[in-house]
Amino acid sequence: MIVQETLMKRALALARLGAGYTSPNPMVGAVAVNNGIIVGEGYHQAYGDHHAEVNALNQAGEKAVGGTLYVTLEPCNHTGRTPPCTQKILDSGISQVIMAMSDPNPDVAGGGAAYLISRGVAVINGVCETEARELNEAFITHKITGRPFVTLKVAATLDGRIATRTRDARWVSGPESRHRVHELRHEVDAILVGSGTVHADDPELTARIPSSPDGRSAKDPVRIILDTRLSISDSARVLHLNSSAETLIVVGKGIFNSRRPPVEKPGVRFLEAETADNRIDLPGLMQQLGAMGIGSVLIEGGSQVAGSALRAGIVDKIIFFYAPKLTGGDDGVPICAGKGPERMADCIHLKKLSMDRTGDDIMVIGYTK
């Protein structure tokens, strides 16, 4: 079992190399082994490219015959943009497949494993399943619920302020934390902020990190701006970017009856959404985004958006960067704005809490569900 876990962890490490490039597909890694020796490795490098199993088995060639294939997700048994991986496995002569987890898509779950077993291939499932589910938590959530997996990112002082009383927020966290945030932007499908953040900071909301070891440039997320009354300035930088990702401005229903969009150009799109209490209805918006194929959203909005998202129950995961700083007052901008619970027992209790250091900052990760 130790050997199985070691080889599966290698496959998981390979899968992570596809972060940011594979959506709407999952990240998948595969390792082909024969007589205790790795004979082929591969991962799903980008949406539309070969799957991990194909890359690993192509590398293994005839050395795969009679061997074992470790794969982080159940091999597909259907034809999409690429042929089914189950047939490639059968053609390779692999005698055993060890999977980390079944396909979370209820329409196809178990189909790949059952097909292989029916053709005489031994299948073992559940090796490093917890790690595999965490790796593809966004893909799993989107497949099961139809909505995107939502992460709330915050950078704050130790006394819980994201900006000073003058709204100065540059920079709360250190360079290592800011670099990690750009990595997060690259890894998600979309980044979401409120119009207040655009007015105050005029951000670009792009992923500015070095190219990957194989020369691939970072992927920008779709930029989602919550702008109920369409107040964005036509000079805002998010409207004038040279980016492969679009900017999506979310406005209240009927707003176009009284106002013409300030910018109508390629790369900028407007989406009408239902409102609640004069704000965009966030649960409803998440369903809209999920139906558009957006499987993961990183919220980087200000305190109003952070508070609204938490109260609406749309946040799945939090990533808070705490800087070793104190404002020393109660007049700075808090992490969350709006009405909180009356009792401590009604607070959101985080699960699977973990902490790490990013430079001088402390990064706290937790799950709300």
Side-chain angles (χ1 to χ4, degrees), residues 20 34 45 58 77 97 110 130 140 148 165 180 191 196 212 224 229 237 252 254 258 271 276 294 304 307 345 366 369:
N34 208 332
Q45 297 182 11
N58 281 345
N77 191 41
V97 171
T130 299
I140 294 169
R165 58 184 172 82
R180 179 64 188 120
I191 180 173
S212 64
I224 302 173
R229 298 173 185 81
R237 289 196 290 178
S258 57
L271 176 67
I294 293 176
Q304 290 286 352
K369 300 177 175 65

Side-chain angles (χ1 to χ4, degrees), residues 117-146:
I117 292 171
S118 72
R119 298 304 189 274
V121 177
V123 175
I124 296 174
N125 189 18
V127 177
C128 298
E129 181 173 359
T130 299
E131 295 93 327
R133 287 187 171 277
E134 182 177 340
L135 173 70
N136 280 309
E137 56 194 7
F139 174 77
I140 294 169
T141 295
H142 188 222
K143 280 296 178 186
I144 293 175
T145 69

